Amino acid sequence: MAANIQRQAKISRVIYRQLLRWCDRTGTIPFDPIPPVTLSPPLVNKALLQQLSADDTMNNNYNINTSNKINNDDKNDVLKMILLNNAAVVQQSKIVMPVYDSSSLRDIIRVAYRLSMLSQHFDHQESNDDDDTKFNDAMKKRVNLSFEAIKALNELSVGMLEERKRERDHHIDRSGVLFHIGQVVRHKKERWRGIVSGWRKEHNEKEGKVLTHYSLILDAGDAHLFNPNLSMLKLHPGREQGQPYMVEPDLESVKEPCLARIRSPSTEGKFTSFDSTDGHFVPSPILSYEYPFDSPPPVVTEDLPSFPVIHDAAELARVSHSVEMGIRSVSSHLQDLVMKSSDDVISNALVSSFLDHLSDICTGKVEPISTISAASATNNRKHTKTGTMMPSMAAAFLKAFGELNQELSEVLHLRQIALQNKHKLRFSLGQIVKHKVYGFRGVIVAWDPKPKVDVSRWDGLRNVHNASHIPFYLVMPDQNDCVKAFGSERSFRYVCEENLDLCPDKERLLSSVDLDDGWSFDKKTWKYLPPQDAMFKYAEDMGPNENDIVACIENLKQEISCIFLAIKNNNFSHNENDGSDDNGTSQPFIQDLSMENLFALLRGATRWIDAVTVEDTIKEVWKSHNDPVLRFRLDDAMKHLFAGRRQEALTVLTEIVNEDPNYFEAWNKKATCHFLRGEMDPSKEATEKTLDLEPNHFQALVGLGLIEKDKQNNTGAATYFRQSIDLNPWSQVSSSLGPCIDVIEATIKEGPTVTDGTVSPNI
């Protein structure tokens, strides 16, 4: 066996060196997103994995209890190499390491090689001296995997990496190229804005010269201005369908700082962030490689943004860290609150899911908002230390907590609706019903007191009177019945109560119904029993612990509301239920999550997707109220508004502000409702009331700007729009500001129009 080990070790060393040489040849070429490398048994010895996952790597506290002892220095070396790749996950069953470029791949190869050597040691200790079959099989699999890795890397070289080199060669010469990658430009005629994401020199036969064509990422708010028929239709590598491809003479650079931030999901993967110092988007490693000399021009002092933006990386890092720690502390506080409940309550599936969510936030197990931020943060640890990526990390924690709060709000809101309407229903969850018209059978899995969609033109409701005010049920149909009724399988059916009957006893045995996990069939009642979360949402009987479960979830939501209210009011002495703790001292997490910090994070956000998350958090804080009933009624009003029932929404909002004249978010929604109804004077009055109560309300400032724009007062509108962008630089109102600026500049250039001795108001 010793000779076999030496032979396999020699082969491993040869392959290891060949893989490293491949990394050296590829140099700094960045990779497209590829699946992470996963090492699991038998490629890595199972006992070794268990020891690695059990070790306290941060403290080098090794506790090896098995007979397979290894040298701590060797093991320390392995763990240090794994830690070089920040996003590596070490578990008892596997090690997962993401790949970004040849540098990270080199680290992975070194880790894999060292783990292979250690695994051989473990395999040898575990094998029988008389039968080394298991040992040989494991060795062969590792060697085969190494050969497969070489093959895959060579294919990668021939394909993606060679193409990337060719793209780079095309863009070495920038002579005659006016705009650079990441620069924000505007179409001279159509006036939409976009980010330069690529360029190519092409010979124009009509003009007899070489012209530069640019691939652009269009701003989402300007999309309605873009005429695709005027865009160049010729494709080139990297161009996305539906995005502009324009010739240089049709474009101009954006000078106005308030218009420089472009909002588009297409920026993900292409640009890492927005640099507010020189007003351009920072290219991803791939774009930077393919366009090596596309650096932005030197910053001119007078071109700096006119609105306050955090340029101090240390200050932004401090704010980001405070927000992240605040969210962690709040989650820990809420976790402790839930754990005061009985074991029967904690074991409830819905309560348990909320606890798991809180635990993930406390331990930092939050999903990054985008893959590019994860790659940047883990591929360059300096970014995290200097605070470049810290706003994105803070936003990820805010997003995770916001999702928890949203889920709590939704389940409680659904339960409230269920309690108010359950007595009006003919059917309940889990009952097996049959459609009167089409004859299919199915299981009721949800219901609405009124349809959530417009059903006025549905064929199956022609003979149903007033269908828009009748309960509707979400029915999971028997697929065999659907084939008979419709000719093919169908997903869920949304059915009016008048079109359903309780299925006859002899027909209740369904043969093919696709229910989510948690549903079970009760032979005694011939009903399907819903999972615990559905029972809660639709006010079904949850057994003897129902009141305690409801109280636990309501208390959790109420505590979050109290925390938001304390943040909203800058009340740093908040504590559970009574606003101050037993000693009268402050809760640190309230100050960490202060409105000042949230607004600083909003202004300092370098990516649109992060800014949206922070903005949503601020708006959720603004909606908080010490009366949960009033808070729910605000949501009801917005549901009316979104459904087009503006009068119903206005009625509810008027009742809310009459009950609490200081509830400024209700005033803001009331202003929106008036505006959508074309009632500009009441809208302006409600908006001004909002700003009297909350001067930093960026949405209300947008509202005033839209009212002034409706009056053709572009100067007044632009003033309000700028004030809003001053607070929220990524605001979508930049799409409204651009046309205002154009009208103002054109009027100044041409001079105001005078009619009957009066000056035209359009300036």
Side-chain angles (χ1 to χ4, degrees):
M1 179 178 287
N4 189 22
I5 292 176
Q6 291 179 358
R7 183 172 62 255
Q8 297 291 352
K10 183 177 180 180
I11 295 174
S12 297
R13 282 195 298 272
V14 171
I15 296 174
Y16 171 64
R17 290 166 182 162
Q18 188 169 349
L19 289 170
L20 291 182
R21 280 196 294 271
W22 184 92
C23 292
D24 293 337
R25 287 198 306 270
T26 57
T28 59
I29 304 178
F31 298 165
D32 282 334
I34 58 178
V37 173
T38 301
L39 299 174
S40 59
L43 302 176
V44 179
N45 181 274
K46 184 176 181 179
L48 174 60
L49 273 178
Q50 291 175 345
Q51 290 190 20
L52 292 177
S53 63
D55 285 337
D56 184 354
T57 58
M58 298 302 293
N59 298 319
N60 294 325
N61 181 20
Y62 303 111
N63 182 20
I64 305 175
N65 297 319
T66 68
S67 60
N68 291 326
K69 304 262 184 201
I70 63 174
N71 182 276
N72 279 352
D73 292 336
D74 290 339
K75 188 174 181 185
N76 192 20
D77 187 30
V78 173
L79 294 178
K80 283 184 178 180
M81 284 191 289
I82 292 176
L83 291 173
L84 285 175
N85 190 306
N86 287 355
V89 177
V90 183
Q91 300 175 345
Q92 287 190 357
S93 59
K94 61 184 177 181
I95 296 177
V96 181
M97 295 171 285
V99 186
Y100 305 116
D101 54 21
S102 58
S103 177
S104 61
L105 184 59
R106 170 182 275 273
D107 287 339
I108 290 171
I109 292 170
R110 294 172 62 207
V111 169
Y113 175 73
R114 177 59 66 180
L115 286 175
S116 177
M117 295 296 100
L118 291 173
S119 293
Q120 288 180 25
H121 171 81
F122 272 68
D123 292 341
H124 177 61
Q125 293 292 326
E126 293 172 353
S127 64
N128 189 315
D129 291 337
D130 297 328
D131 182 10
D132 58 357
T133 303
K134 180 180 178 182
F135 174 80
N136 289 332
D137 287 344
M139 291 289 294
K140 288 179 181 178
K141 287 181 179 180
R142 290 172 194 142
V143 171
N144 289 337
L145 178 64
S146 300
F147 282 118
E148 289 176 8
I150 292 175
K151 180 181 177 182
L153 292 178
N154 287 332
E155 290 174 352
L156 187 66
S157 297
V158 173
M160 177 187 71
L161 299 185
E162 289 300 322
E163 175 62 28
R164 192 142 293 157
K165 288 180 181 178
R166 286 192 291 270
E167 280 295 305
R168 180 183 176 90
D169 292 341
H170 285 316
H171 303 124
I172 294 294
D173 180 15
R174 269 191 54 85
S175 60
V177 180
L178 179 60
F179 306 116
H180 64 267
I181 298 296
Q183 186 171 355
V184 181
V185 297
R186 201 175 185 194
H187 194 274
K188 291 180 179 178
K189 182 178 179 180
E190 296 179 355
R191 308 309 289 159
W192 47 261
R193 295 164 297 145
I195 313 170
V196 176
S197 60
W199 56 261
R200 183 173 291 270
K201 296 178 183 180
E202 297 181 7
H203 185 267
N204 187 295
E205 295 182 0
K206 183 177 180 180
E207 298 190 18
K209 60 181 180 181
V210 175
L211 293 177
T212 305
H213 297 75
Y214 296 88
S215 296
L216 302 162
I217 294 178
L218 186 65
D219 181 83
D222 292 355
H224 66 287
L225 301 173
F226 172 54
N227 182 2
N229 294 325
L230 298 181
S231 176
M232 302 296 295
L233 298 179
K234 187 175 181 180
L235 299 178
H236 75 92
R239 180 179 180 268
E240 294 184 30
Q241 292 286 350
Q243 294 291 355
Y245 184 56
M246 308 302 300
V247 68
E248 189 170 277
D250 292 338
L251 302 172
E252 63 184 15
S253 62
V254 169
K255 301 293 186 181
E256 170 60 54
C258 290
L259 303 181
R261 286 173 168 83
I262 301 300
R263 297 160 297 112
S264 171
S266 297
T267 57
E268 290 298 304
K270 293 182 179 295
F271 298 96
T272 62
S273 60
F274 176 78
D275 188 337
S276 58
T277 302
D278 49 28
H280 85 286
F281 283 79
V282 180
S284 68
I286 292 176
L287 279 181
S288 295
Y289 179 83
E290 293 181 350
Y291 297 85
F293 302 112
D294 270 48
S295 301
V299 178
V300 182
T301 305
E302 53 265 28
D303 289 337
L304 287 174
S306 58
F307 46 83
V309 177
I310 297 179
H311 293 291
D312 186 345
E315 174 62 13
L316 182 56
R318 184 199 65 78
V319 169
S320 302
H321 179 73
S322 294
V323 171
E324 178 184 333
M325 290 300 102
I327 291 296
R328 286 181 184 243
S329 299
V330 166
S331 300
S332 177
H333 170 72
L334 296 173
Q335 204 174 18
D336 293 341
L337 180 66
V338 175
M339 292 303 295
K340 294 178 181 178
S341 304
S342 67
D343 292 341
D344 290 333
V345 171
I346 294 174
S347 63
N348 175 268
L350 186 58
V351 175
S352 180
S353 70
F354 290 138
L355 267 178
D356 290 342
H357 200 144
L358 289 169
S359 176
D360 287 344
I361 297 174
C362 291
T363 56
K365 296 178 182 178
V366 299
E367 291 292 327
I369 296 181
S370 73
T371 54
I372 193 72
S373 64
S376 297
T378 56
N379 198 30
N380 188 350
R381 300 186 71 178
K382 294 181 180 179
H383 285 194
T384 304
K385 291 181 180 180
T386 60
T388 305
M389 295 307 301
M390 289 191 73
S392 293
M393 295 168 62
F397 277 88
L398 287 174
K399 185 175 186 291
F401 190 79
E403 289 171 347
L404 170 69
N405 180 54
Q406 182 66 27
E407 187 178 355
L408 278 167
S409 299
E410 287 179 359
V411 298
L412 288 170
H413 193 69
L414 283 172
R415 182 175 180 83
Q416 185 185 52
I417 293 174
L419 291 171
Q420 293 171 350
N421 296 278
K422 188 178 178 182
H423 66 282
K424 305 175 186 177
L425 303 178
R426 288 177 52 203
F427 309 108
S428 60
L429 290 193
Q431 284 190 311
I432 303 172
V433 292
K434 187 174 183 179
H435 199 283
K436 292 180 181 179
V437 179
Y438 298 111
F440 65 82
R441 300 162 298 161
V443 181
I444 292 176
V445 296
W447 55 265
D448 296 309
K450 295 179 182 179
K452 286 186 174 181
V453 295
D454 182 10
V455 297
S456 59
R457 298 184 179 181
W458 286 20
D459 292 340
L461 300 175
R462 291 175 180 175
N463 299 322
V464 177
H465 177 66
N466 206 18
S468 61
H469 291 80
I470 295 176
F472 268 65
Y473 297 85
L474 197 66
V475 179
M476 295 302 294
D478 184 287
Q479 294 302 328
N480 292 330
D481 288 1
C482 286
V483 172
K484 293 178 183 178
F486 309 112
S488 62
E489 295 184 352
R490 292 288 192 271
S491 57
F492 66 85
R493 302 283 89 191
Y494 198 49
V495 187
C496 175
E497 187 174 74
E498 291 299 312
N499 280 340
L500 292 175
D501 273 331
L502 196 62
C503 192
D505 292 348
K506 61 181 180 180
E507 299 181 24
R508 292 189 185 181
L509 186 60
L510 304 181
S511 57
S512 178
V513 60
D514 185 19
L515 295 172
D516 292 336
D517 293 339
W519 288 83
S520 60
F521 183 69
D522 185 2
K523 293 182 179 179
K524 294 181 180 179
T525 60
W526 282 86
K527 267 183 71 172
Y528 282 85
L529 301 179
Q532 292 177 338
D533 61 334
M535 289 183 180
F536 184 93
K537 294 174 185 176
Y538 294 97
E540 296 285 334
D541 183 8
M542 301 176 67
N545 297 308
E546 178 174 346
N547 291 337
D548 292 337
I549 293 170
V550 172
C552 176
I553 294 176
E554 286 180 343
N555 289 340
L556 183 59
K557 174 58 183 174
Q558 183 61 21
E559 182 63 7
I560 293 176
S561 299
C562 290
I563 291 170
F564 281 169
L565 195 61
I567 296 170
K568 173 182 172 181
N569 297 329
N570 289 322
N571 177 15
F572 300 145
S573 62
H574 162 79
N575 191 50
E576 180 183 338
N577 298 326
D578 62 2
S580 61
D581 63 20
D582 295 337
N583 300 319
T585 57
S586 63
Q587 289 278 16
F589 55 72
I590 301 296
Q591 194 157 3
D592 286 338
L593 297 173
S594 67
M595 294 301 291
E596 181 182 358
N597 278 352
L598 291 176
F599 268 101
L601 188 61
L602 181 63
R603 293 195 304 274
T606 59
R607 302 186 310 141
W608 169 50
I609 196 168
D610 297 333
V612 169
T613 299
V614 182
E615 179 184 338
D616 288 344
T617 302
I618 292 173
K619 290 190 289 189
E620 192 63 30
V621 170
W622 280 343
K623 288 190 289 186
S624 62
H625 198 278
N626 55 10
D627 184 350
V629 176
L630 217 58
R631 173 66 183 82
F632 277 126
R633 287 172 65 192
L634 181 67
D635 285 340
D636 284 335
M638 296 314 298
K639 284 182 172 64
H640 285 308
L641 190 59
F642 293 146
R645 300 187 294 268
R646 295 170 184 171
Q647 182 56 56
E648 291 92 330
L650 184 59
T651 300
V652 175
L653 291 166
T654 301
E655 292 172 352
I656 293 175
V657 296
N658 287 340
E659 188 169 340
D660 183 1
N662 293 321
Y663 195 4
F664 63 78
E665 190 56 28
W667 280 109
N668 178 55
K669 302 305 183 189
K670 186 173 185 288
T672 301
C673 193
H674 280 302
F675 183 87
L676 294 175
R677 287 164 56 90
E679 300 164 353
M680 297 302 160
D681 289 340
S683 179
K684 183 176 182 179
E685 181 182 347
T687 304
E688 289 174 342
K689 181 66 175 178
T690 303
L691 289 167
D692 286 343
L693 295 168
E694 176 48 71
N696 290 330
H697 205 297
F698 44 78
Q699 286 183 303
L701 289 166
V702 170
L704 284 180
L706 293 174
I707 293 171
E708 293 303 316
K709 189 176 181 181
D710 184 75
K711 297 177 181 179
Q712 296 187 351
N713 179 8
N714 288 283
T715 300
T719 299
Y720 288 123
F721 291 157
R722 289 181 189 277
Q723 290 177 11
S724 179
I725 294 175
D726 181 53
L727 296 165
N728 181 14
W730 289 93
S731 172
Q732 60 184 357
V733 79
S734 61
S735 296
S736 298
L737 175 61
C740 290
I741 293 174
D742 288 343
V743 172
I744 293 170
E745 291 179 349
T747 305
I748 292 174
K749 183 177 180 180
E750 299 172 3
T753 302
V754 180
T755 305
D756 297 330
T758 60
V759 179
S760 172
N762 64 0
I763 187 173

